[in-house]
Amino acid sequence: MNEQIIWIILKRLRFPFLVLIVTFAVTIVGLVFIPGVDDHGHEYHMTFFDAFYFVSYMASTIGFGEAPYTFTYPQRMWVSAAIYIAVIGWFYGIGSIIALIQDEALKRAINRNRFRKQVLALKEPFYIMLGYNSVIKSIIDRINKNNHRVVVLDKKESKIDDLMLENFYPNVPAFVGEATNQMMLKMAGIHQKNCLGIISLFEDDKKNTHIATIAKLLNKHINVIVKASSEQHLEHFKSMKIDHVQNPFEFISNRFYQGLVAPHIWLLEMWFYGHSLHLRKRDLLPHGKYIICGYGRMGQALENALIKAAIEYVLYDINSTEYEKKKKTTIFGDAEDMQELLDLGIETAACIIAATKDDLLNLTILNHAKILNPDIFTIARENSLEELNIFKAAKVNRIYVLEQILADATYSYISRPLAEYFIQESRKKDEAWAKVIVGMLHNIAGANPDYFELTINEKNAYALTRELKEGTSVSLSTLRRSRADRTKFLHVVYLLLKREEQIYLMPESNFKVMPGDQLLIVAGEDDREDFEYIINNIYELDYVLGRE
């Protein structure tokens, strides 16, 4: 990188340096060979040093005077001519240096060098994120707080400028570069040991496939998180053994199905994404006929859920691009549109879903549906986080924000893997099971419980790990005992335990823990503090083990 900067400087300043050297050389040689007169009237010739010294301050316009003696007229005539030549050459050189400072190629080289140094300086584990948009911004906002770092590449300079203006802390190294360029990925640190993975969430499945292929070729051990929306690309990524494929429409289909048949399972999943652990009236999907407006990828995903749940539905195959082309607007609601809704049975329908790619079209469909049926339940596809407030103001009952779903799922996979395991396992259960779990969480951990993930090792559980390595048998129920009174229990719930590749959902209280076990735990703030104190403090652990 430094060699490239030096090469650009030498290339840009080669001719200006040559002009200065020739100008100085000719002027100095002339002064050396033209005779002068000293203060005793004797002839003398300037030395090369005296000539160089004089030309240096003459050409730079400093002007100390004539040296070492007063010039003769031949010398003055030579200097008069040299002044114009030397000063012009000097200013030409200065102008070239200023132009070099503004040179785009040099700026890119300097920025590239700075970026590479920032990446090499990262000591924490980091992910390479390709492309900067609202999804990536949402992920960075949260991942930076969890002792993970992020490196970003985007081919648009404006996007990198937007990232810099966010002023993330810790700093996010970012550079303008094409995500499919191997050199860019190498610069971003794909070969570094602390690089945990690469994240590619572009809308273009082909581009994501290209990036995933290059990433695996550059580093076969790299963890790749990639977005795919079509079955063809999903199968391709599976054949490549990609670690995690994000399909927002599959997430929507699963959540919609659970909302229809098992709302408490839906509630448990949404609780991990910030929903309160309570089913409100507006959270319950109605029973009756559903109308799906838009039969793209989301419309098909919702249709699959309705078929699986055996719910009656009708389709209105409205395409936002064709609609705009036909009516010169994406505002739904003329007489023809209203008649279409009536023909679909809007007046007796229980729910209408606007699932097109155009947010304005979705919003106006729902607004006019409520005119014809004020009690109808409304569901909208919202494509961008930037428009979310508009949909909330329109009082849409349920909003599926594609960007938010994608950001949440990616963040969870990176920072909350046990929560993802819990969601996957809970989907295999029924509504009765989920209702019991929700009730238990309320009874033990309170009305709005929080959760955390813990790996049993010396860093997170020093005292417990030490005891286990010495052969002590410790059960989950023992670790729930209060350090104030071991006959009482902390308000702690173990949702999941992962041991190597084995998953234990809601493990029994007498389950014996081992070093390396990963736990998903629900607890209030005070109970979590006590729990962590017990597993890290030798004396507190001795007390709950009954040794004192």
PDB file of all heavy atoms in Angstrom, residues 378-391:
ATOM      1  N   THR A 378     -56.160  -5.524   9.309  1.00  0.00           N
ATOM      2  CA  THR A 378     -55.286  -5.142   8.197  1.00  0.00           C
ATOM      3  C   THR A 378     -53.847  -5.567   8.469  1.00  0.00           C
ATOM      4  O   THR A 378     -53.324  -5.410   9.567  1.00  0.00           O
ATOM      5  CB  THR A 378     -55.330  -3.621   7.969  1.00  0.00           C
ATOM      6  OG1 THR A 378     -55.031  -2.938   9.196  1.00  0.00           O
ATOM      7  CG2 THR A 378     -56.689  -3.184   7.465  1.00  0.00           C
ATOM      8  N   ILE A 379     -53.208  -6.096   7.427  1.00  0.00           N
ATOM      9  CA  ILE A 379     -51.803  -6.511   7.483  1.00  0.00           C
ATOM     10  C   ILE A 379     -51.091  -5.917   6.269  1.00  0.00           C
ATOM     11  O   ILE A 379     -51.618  -5.975   5.151  1.00  0.00           O
ATOM     12  CB  ILE A 379     -51.656  -8.046   7.464  1.00  0.00           C
ATOM     13  CG1 ILE A 379     -52.346  -8.658   8.686  1.00  0.00           C
ATOM     14  CG2 ILE A 379     -50.185  -8.456   7.417  1.00  0.00           C
ATOM     15  CD1 ILE A 379     -52.323 -10.193   8.690  1.00  0.00           C
ATOM     16  N   ALA A 380     -49.906  -5.346   6.499  1.00  0.00           N
ATOM     17  CA  ALA A 380     -49.189  -4.691   5.406  1.00  0.00           C
ATOM     18  C   ALA A 380     -47.756  -5.189   5.307  1.00  0.00           C
ATOM     19  O   ALA A 380     -47.107  -5.467   6.314  1.00  0.00           O
ATOM     20  CB  ALA A 380     -49.192  -3.176   5.589  1.00  0.00           C
ATOM     21  N   ARG A 381     -47.299  -5.289   4.080  1.00  0.00           N
ATOM     22  CA  ARG A 381     -45.861  -5.449   3.823  1.00  0.00           C
ATOM     23  C   ARG A 381     -45.261  -4.058   3.747  1.00  0.00           C
ATOM     24  O   ARG A 381     -45.745  -3.205   3.002  1.00  0.00           O
ATOM     25  CB  ARG A 381     -45.632  -6.192   2.503  1.00  0.00           C
ATOM     26  CG  ARG A 381     -44.183  -6.122   2.008  1.00  0.00           C
ATOM     27  CD  ARG A 381     -44.012  -6.859   0.690  1.00  0.00           C
ATOM     28  NE  ARG A 381     -42.670  -6.704   0.152  1.00  0.00           N
ATOM     29  CZ  ARG A 381     -42.210  -7.334  -0.930  1.00  0.00           C
ATOM     30  NH1 ARG A 381     -43.011  -8.166  -1.589  1.00  0.00           N
ATOM     31  NH2 ARG A 381     -40.981  -7.160  -1.352  1.00  0.00           N
ATOM     32  N   GLU A 382     -44.225  -3.844   4.534  1.00  0.00           N
ATOM     33  CA  GLU A 382     -43.541  -2.539   4.523  1.00  0.00           C
ATOM     34  C   GLU A 382     -42.091  -2.815   4.167  1.00  0.00           C
ATOM     35  O   GLU A 382     -41.396  -3.569   4.851  1.00  0.00           O
ATOM     36  CB  GLU A 382     -43.678  -1.885   5.897  1.00  0.00           C
ATOM     37  CG  GLU A 382     -43.464  -0.383   5.881  1.00  0.00           C
ATOM     38  CD  GLU A 382     -41.996  -0.048   5.985  1.00  0.00           C
ATOM     39  OE1 GLU A 382     -41.351  -0.445   6.949  1.00  0.00           O
ATOM     40  OE2 GLU A 382     -41.504   0.620   5.064  1.00  0.00           O
ATOM     41  N   ASN A 383     -41.645  -2.218   3.078  1.00  0.00           N
ATOM     42  CA  ASN A 383     -40.367  -2.608   2.499  1.00  0.00           C
ATOM     43  C   ASN A 383     -39.175  -1.894   3.099  1.00  0.00           C
ATOM     44  O   ASN A 383     -38.060  -2.404   3.046  1.00  0.00           O
ATOM     45  CB  ASN A 383     -40.388  -2.363   0.981  1.00  0.00           C
ATOM     46  CG  ASN A 383     -41.419  -3.222   0.280  1.00  0.00           C
ATOM     47  OD1 ASN A 383     -41.201  -4.384   0.021  1.00  0.00           O
ATOM     48  ND2 ASN A 383     -42.593  -2.638  -0.012  1.00  0.00           N
ATOM     49  N   SER A 384     -39.384  -0.718   3.660  1.00  0.00           N
ATOM     50  CA  SER A 384     -38.254   0.063   4.163  1.00  0.00           C
ATOM     51  C   SER A 384     -38.535   0.565   5.569  1.00  0.00           C
ATOM     52  O   SER A 384     -39.639   0.998   5.890  1.00  0.00           O
ATOM     53  CB  SER A 384     -37.983   1.258   3.236  1.00  0.00           C
ATOM     54  OG  SER A 384     -37.033   2.128   3.795  1.00  0.00           O
ATOM     55  N   LEU A 385     -37.496   0.535   6.405  1.00  0.00           N
ATOM     56  CA  LEU A 385     -37.632   1.049   7.772  1.00  0.00           C
ATOM     57  C   LEU A 385     -37.945   2.534   7.796  1.00  0.00           C
ATOM     58  O   LEU A 385     -38.531   3.035   8.750  1.00  0.00           O
ATOM     59  CB  LEU A 385     -36.320   0.801   8.534  1.00  0.00           C
ATOM     60  CG  LEU A 385     -36.076  -0.637   9.006  1.00  0.00           C
ATOM     61  CD1 LEU A 385     -34.634  -0.804   9.430  1.00  0.00           C
ATOM     62  CD2 LEU A 385     -37.007  -0.981  10.143  1.00  0.00           C
ATOM     63  N   GLU A 386     -37.554   3.247   6.732  1.00  0.00           N
ATOM     64  CA  GLU A 386     -37.738   4.689   6.697  1.00  0.00           C
ATOM     65  C   GLU A 386     -39.214   5.093   6.638  1.00  0.00           C
ATOM     66  O   GLU A 386     -39.570   6.201   7.010  1.00  0.00           O
ATOM     67  CB  GLU A 386     -36.991   5.276   5.494  1.00  0.00           C
ATOM     68  CG  GLU A 386     -35.470   5.045   5.573  1.00  0.00           C
ATOM     69  CD  GLU A 386     -34.769   5.441   4.293  1.00  0.00           C
ATOM     70  OE1 GLU A 386     -35.470   5.844   3.333  1.00  0.00           O
ATOM     71  OE2 GLU A 386     -33.528   5.367   4.238  1.00  0.00           O
ATOM     72  N   GLU A 387     -40.084   4.193   6.165  1.00  0.00           N
ATOM     73  CA  GLU A 387     -41.501   4.511   6.022  1.00  0.00           C
ATOM     74  C   GLU A 387     -42.360   3.945   7.155  1.00  0.00           C
ATOM     75  O   GLU A 387     -43.586   4.034   7.109  1.00  0.00           O
ATOM     76  CB  GLU A 387     -42.021   3.953   4.682  1.00  0.00           C
ATOM     77  CG  GLU A 387     -41.226   4.406   3.464  1.00  0.00           C
ATOM     78  CD  GLU A 387     -41.353   5.899   3.215  1.00  0.00           C
ATOM     79  OE1 GLU A 387     -42.376   6.471   3.613  1.00  0.00           O
ATOM     80  OE2 GLU A 387     -40.424   6.488   2.641  1.00  0.00           O
ATOM     81  N   LEU A 388     -41.726   3.387   8.169  1.00  0.00           N
ATOM     82  CA  LEU A 388     -42.468   2.674   9.205  1.00  0.00           C
ATOM     83  C   LEU A 388     -43.449   3.575   9.945  1.00  0.00           C
ATOM     84  O   LEU A 388     -44.570   3.174  10.254  1.00  0.00           O
ATOM     85  CB  LEU A 388     -41.482   2.040  10.198  1.00  0.00           C
ATOM     86  CG  LEU A 388     -42.090   1.188  11.310  1.00  0.00           C
ATOM     87  CD1 LEU A 388     -42.938   0.074  10.723  1.00  0.00           C
ATOM     88  CD2 LEU A 388     -40.993   0.619  12.197  1.00  0.00           C
ATOM     89  N   ASN A 389     -43.053   4.797  10.242  1.00  0.00           N
ATOM     90  CA  ASN A 389     -43.923   5.707  11.003  1.00  0.00           C
ATOM     91  C   ASN A 389     -45.211   6.015  10.258  1.00  0.00           C
ATOM     92  O   ASN A 389     -46.267   6.229  10.885  1.00  0.00           O
ATOM     93  CB  ASN A 389     -43.178   7.007  11.317  1.00  0.00           C
ATOM     94  CG  ASN A 389     -42.102   6.809  12.361  1.00  0.00           C
ATOM     95  OD1 ASN A 389     -42.202   5.919  13.200  1.00  0.00           O
ATOM     96  ND2 ASN A 389     -41.060   7.620  12.318  1.00  0.00           N
ATOM     97  N   ILE A 390     -45.154   6.033   8.927  1.00  0.00           N
ATOM     98  CA  ILE A 390     -46.361   6.306   8.136  1.00  0.00           C
ATOM     99  C   ILE A 390     -47.370   5.176   8.322  1.00  0.00           C
ATOM    100  O   ILE A 390     -48.569   5.405   8.496  1.00  0.00           O
ATOM    101  CB  ILE A 390     -45.995   6.474   6.644  1.00  0.00           C
ATOM    102  CG1 ILE A 390     -45.052   7.671   6.466  1.00  0.00           C
ATOM    103  CG2 ILE A 390     -47.245   6.634   5.798  1.00  0.00           C
ATOM    104  CD1 ILE A 390     -44.558   7.847   5.052  1.00  0.00           C
ATOM    105  N   PHE A 391     -46.892   3.935   8.310  1.00  0.00           N
ATOM    106  CA  PHE A 391     -47.778   2.777   8.473  1.00  0.00           C
ATOM    107  C   PHE A 391     -48.358   2.738   9.891  1.00  0.00           C
ATOM    108  O   PHE A 391     -49.515   2.369  10.082  1.00  0.00           O
ATOM    109  CB  PHE A 391     -47.017   1.489   8.165  1.00  0.00           C
ATOM    110  CG  PHE A 391     -46.894   1.204   6.697  1.00  0.00           C
ATOM    111  CD1 PHE A 391     -45.932   1.838   5.928  1.00  0.00           C
ATOM    112  CD2 PHE A 391     -47.749   0.313   6.082  1.00  0.00           C
ATOM    113  CE1 PHE A 391     -45.821   1.583   4.583  1.00  0.00           C
ATOM    114  CE2 PHE A 391     -47.643   0.042   4.725  1.00  0.00           C
ATOM    115  CZ  PHE A 391     -46.679   0.692   3.967  1.00  0.00           C
TER     116      PHE A 391
END
